Amino acid sequence: MEVFIRLVSSESKAAESRVPLTWERRQKSRQRVRLESGEEVALLLPRGTTLRDGQRIASEAGRVVEVVAQAEPVSTVRSTDPTSLARAAYHLGNRHTPLQLGEGWLRYREDHVLDAMIAGLGIGAERERAPFEPESGAYSHGHGHD
């Protein structure tokens, strides 16, 4: 089984394949994963590595694979009112919920309790399947997310 051991820059070499992973799986540094081709490989990355959509990883043999944020169950809050979105983000952040932010929306992993809280704020959340790429956090090291 081929073993992938390190992150590489996107300029270093073209990706030969892709590996779709949910947010939870992109946070695990040691696991077996399946490439889009169906091939099973191992990830043995440095502990604490969090993979981001579009990053590339290399095997011991130099093969490069691109990480893809896999669609998963999420709740998306949309509003044209910035105060409503800020209020929702405040209350979700107060519960240490990872959030993905976009223009006029925010997203978190589907959770019926959080959905009820958001509804109580008068906004509402739409359940859908979408890639989840939350903010890395103010105290994290590494690259920020657009």
Side-chain angles (χ1 to χ4, degrees):
M1 176 180 294
E2 192 166 10
V3 179
F4 287 79
I5 58 169
R6 68 183 188 282
L7 292 172
V8 294
S9 76
S10 58
E11 295 84 33
S12 64
K13 186 177 175 184
E16 299 170 35
S17 188
R18 297 170 16 135
V19 59
L21 299 169
T22 63
W23 170 241
E24 182 177 351
R25 298 220 38 211
R26 284 183 279 130
Q27 296 178 76
K28 294 182 180 184
S29 54
R30 287 161 169 49
Q31 62 181 314
R32 285 182 177 200
V33 298
R34 190 169 306 279
L35 304 179
E36 282 184 338
S37 65
E39 178 185 358
E40 192 173 83
V41 300
L43 295 183
L44 294 177
L45 300 167
R47 293 208 184 275
T49 299
T50 297
L51 297 171
R52 294 291 186 169
D53 185 58
Q55 283 187 315
R56 294 182 179 170
I57 52 177
S59 72
E60 296 169 316
R63 183 174 169 204
V64 175
V65 170
E66 182 179 356
V67 175
V68 176
Q70 184 176 15
E72 57 186 295
V74 295
S75 292
T76 303
V77 179
R78 290 182 175 82
S79 179
T80 57
D81 176 25
T83 303
S84 294
L85 279 180
R87 184 173 289 117
Y90 171 81
H91 286 287
L92 289 163
N94 197 37
R95 285 155 183 80
H96 304 279
T97 303
L99 288 178
Q100 180 178 356
L101 305 172
E103 186 73 32
W105 59 270
L106 58 86
R107 179 175 290 148
Y108 53 93
R109 291 175 71 194
E110 188 179 276
D111 182 309
H112 70 280
V113 173
L114 297 177
D115 291 347
M117 179 193 72
I118 293 298
L121 294 172
I123 306 169
E126 176 186 343
R127 288 184 174 184
E128 57 188 353
R129 290 189 61 79
F132 183 56
E133 189 71 33
E135 293 292 312
S136 58
Y139 300 107
S140 67
H141 302 289
H143 84 282
H145 186 67
D146 293 338

